[in-house]
Amino acid sequence: MDFSLFLKALVIGLSIAAPVGPIGLLCIQRTLAHGRAIGFFSGFGAALADACYGAIGAFGVSAVISSMVAARVPLALGGAAFLAWMGVQLLRAPAATQARAAQDAATPLKAMLSVFMLTLANPMTILSFVAVFASIGTGHASSGSGAAVTMVAGVFLGSAIWWLGLSTVVSMVRHRLGARVLQSINRLSGALLLGFAVFQLSALLSR
């Protein structure tokens, strides 16, 4: 394994996961409501999606890239609809239901799959991976499938490390927050998710 290539890919995975967008917001909110495991598995779904897109970019599967980019409009619409639904659910959740919501938390598998599908709803990410992987792979001794596997593994691990760290830090403070604070966080998260949905829809309409 080309260790320097792996480290570069790991840093890329961290940098892709770190910006606080709708995925990070969902991970934080779910950690606060349901605990570290649900928050981490939500982020783990994003890491898996990043790895899938990374694999497509690293192995240069042009047919898959073309089909995903061609389907960017329905995928983006589906992602916006899911964000809007999540936002409405959070805005409607009263403080009195917080304890019950924690007990009825989604399973890790459901949390992971929902974020996995939401992350896949942005096919333009493939083009970013194609450009980045073409750049970092140049000049390394390893080539072909070996380099591709190394880069995908680095991206996946970097992304997973970020989600584990984020869910761990958030879970350390969740028990110190009262019902009113959690309700305020839910409402703010809901409003932001609705904002992300509106932004995604406006970006589609402006093209």
Side-chain angles (χ1 to χ4, degrees):
M1 176 184 288
D2 189 332
F3 191 65
S4 64
L5 180 61
F6 177 79
L7 284 179
K8 287 182 179 180
L10 187 145
V11 171
I12 289 172
L14 278 169
S15 64
I16 289 172
V20 180
I23 303 301
L25 196 61
L26 277 175
C27 179
I28 292 171
Q29 192 279 327
R30 286 180 173 179
T31 303
L32 289 172
H34 309 303
R36 182 175 62 179
I38 296 298
F40 169 69
F41 275 99
S42 295
F44 192 76
L48 286 177
D50 288 341
C52 289
Y53 274 163
I56 294 171
F59 286 99
V61 188
S62 58
V64 178
I65 294 173
S66 299
S67 62
M68 292 294 288
V69 173
R72 65 185 182 277
V73 173
L75 286 172
L77 286 174
F82 179 78
L83 288 176
W85 179 81
M86 284 294 300
V88 171
Q89 293 299 309
L90 291 175
L91 286 172
R92 294 176 60 187
T97 65
Q98 292 301 318
R100 180 166 55 84
Q103 295 174 358
D104 299 336
T107 65
L109 180 61
K110 289 181 179 179
M112 180 179 68
L113 289 177
S114 64
V115 176
F116 176 76
M117 297 304 297
L118 180 59
T119 307
L120 286 183
N122 184 17
M124 296 306 292
T125 306
I126 296 178
L127 301 181
S128 301
F129 276 114
V130 171
V132 170
F133 280 8
S135 175
I136 68 172
T138 302
H140 285 267
S142 57
S143 60
S145 60
V149 170
T150 298
M151 289 188 288
V152 173
V155 165
F156 173 74
L157 183 59
S159 183
I161 287 173
W162 169 260
W163 296 118
L164 177 60
L166 179 64
S167 59
T168 298
V169 170
V170 175
S171 67
M172 292 172 64
V173 301
R174 65 185 291 258
H175 294 296
R176 302 177 185 177
L177 304 178
R180 288 192 177 184
V181 174
L182 289 174
Q183 184 185 34
S184 298
I185 292 174
N186 272 357
R187 288 178 175 173
L188 177 60
S189 299
L192 289 174
L193 288 177
L194 282 174
F196 281 121
V198 171
F199 176 79
Q200 189 160 313
L201 288 175
S202 64
L204 285 175
L205 295 175
S206 63
R207 292 176 181 174

